[in-house]
Amino acid sequence: MKKCLLVVLLSLFQFSCRETISDSETIEKAQLKPYAELKEELKSFKGDVQEKQDRFFTFINTDVPNYWMGTKWDFNGTTRTPQNGTIACGYFVTTVLDDFGIKLKRIQLAQQVSSVMITTLCEPKSIKHFSKIEQVETYLNGRNEEEIFIVGLDFHTGFIIKDNSKLYFLHSNYIQKEGVVKEEIRNSRALLSSKSFMIGSISQKESHFKIE
């Protein structure tokens, strides 16, 4: 009897913890400034190339997940507003880049195969092709401590974030139409199921961040 009571109490405690975490996340979301306001700030951001690269890293690594995570995937999704409508993987990449202020043909690139997006937007010398996720990890481990990449898979695309020793995949996940998620690359079914990987650094293409 005591054992049963202990199990019930532990279950209630775990449920309570999940609710607390969920409530905390909701409060944080509620405290975010409107996304339109953030976009205006980004497009008017002043600074040299390095400062803009640093701000870009923060935008992709922190701001985009804060606003976009939970926005659902759809093959025809084209929303420009997080949490409102659906977003396909290619449109997710080009939309948030356009929101930052990087000049690109948002719709045209979103509808192309990911190799076109990567060769158009990424630093040419950084572009690599691999057939195994282990090769991708080895390549990333030799790159900068904070860097943003675009990766093209068999039928999918998204951002890989190198945050010191951590590697994340930020993408609009087509699996079960989950939508935008940031996950460690070794936990990503979309990455692990791919047989081909094309990757390039977008944060190291300085022309995106030069003052005009």
Side-chain angles (χ1 to χ4, degrees), residues 8-52:
V8 171
L9 289 173
L10 285 172
S11 298
L12 289 172
F13 175 75
Q14 290 171 349
F15 177 78
S16 175
C17 288
R18 285 197 298 271
E19 286 299 302
T20 300
I21 292 170
S22 177
D23 290 345
S24 175
E25 290 172 350
T26 302
I27 291 170
E28 289 176 3
K29 291 276 188 184
Q31 291 174 344
L32 293 174
K33 67 181 68 177
Y35 190 64
E37 184 178 328
L38 174 65
K39 288 196 297 182
E40 289 303 313
E41 288 181 3
L42 290 169
K43 291 185 177 182
S44 61
F45 180 78
K46 303 298 182 184
D48 59 24
V49 170
Q50 184 61 59
E51 289 170 330
K52 286 190 173 182

Side-chain angles (χ1 to χ4, degrees), residues 17-162:
C17 288
R18 285 197 298 271
E19 286 299 302
T20 300
I21 292 170
S22 177
D23 290 345
S24 175
E25 290 172 350
T26 302
I27 291 170
E28 289 176 3
K29 291 276 188 184
Q31 291 174 344
L32 293 174
K33 67 181 68 177
Y35 190 64
E37 184 178 328
L38 174 65
K39 288 196 297 182
E40 289 303 313
E41 288 181 3
L42 290 169
K43 291 185 177 182
S44 61
F45 180 78
K46 303 298 182 184
D48 59 24
V49 170
Q50 184 61 59
E51 289 170 330
K52 286 190 173 182
Q53 287 173 316
D54 291 343
R55 185 64 187 91
F56 177 68
F57 179 84
T58 300
F59 173 66
I60 298 296
N61 189 38
T62 303
D63 294 329
V64 171
N66 279 342
Y67 284 92
W68 282 91
M69 277 180 63
T71 307
K72 296 300 182 181
W73 174 92
D74 186 82
F75 182 79
N76 297 307
T78 62
T79 184
R80 300 221 58 173
T81 306
Q83 313 303 325
N84 183 11
T86 58
I87 190 81
C89 60
Y91 272 96
F92 172 65
V93 172
T94 61
T95 296
V96 298
L97 293 178
D98 183 65
D99 289 347
F100 183 80
I102 291 177
K103 295 188 180 299
L104 74 168
K105 296 179 179 180
R106 185 183 68 91
I107 296 174
Q108 180 180 329
L109 280 180
Q111 295 174 346
Q112 298 292 323
V113 294
S114 55
S115 59
V116 174
M117 184 189 304
I118 291 169
T119 54
T120 302
L121 296 173
C122 295
E123 201 283 315
K125 292 181 181 180
S126 72
I127 298 174
K128 305 292 180 184
H129 297 262
F130 301 108
S131 59
K132 297 180 180 179
I133 188 64
E134 292 82 4
Q135 295 170 326
V136 176
E137 288 180 296
T138 299
Y139 166 71
L140 293 171
N141 288 334
R143 299 293 301 187
N144 298 322
E145 291 186 352
E146 295 184 345
E147 195 165 357
I148 305 296
F149 305 82
I150 299 176
V151 64
L153 309 179
D154 294 340
F155 310 104
H156 193 49
T157 189
F159 297 103
I160 285 185
I161 302 166
K162 183 179 181 185

Side-chain angles (χ1 to χ4, degrees), residues 165-180:
S165 62
K166 295 285 189 179
L167 300 173
Y168 299 100
F169 188 32
L170 174 64
H171 60 124
S172 184
N173 191 9
Y174 64 91
I175 298 175
Q176 297 181 335
K177 297 187 176 182
E178 180 180 17
V180 178

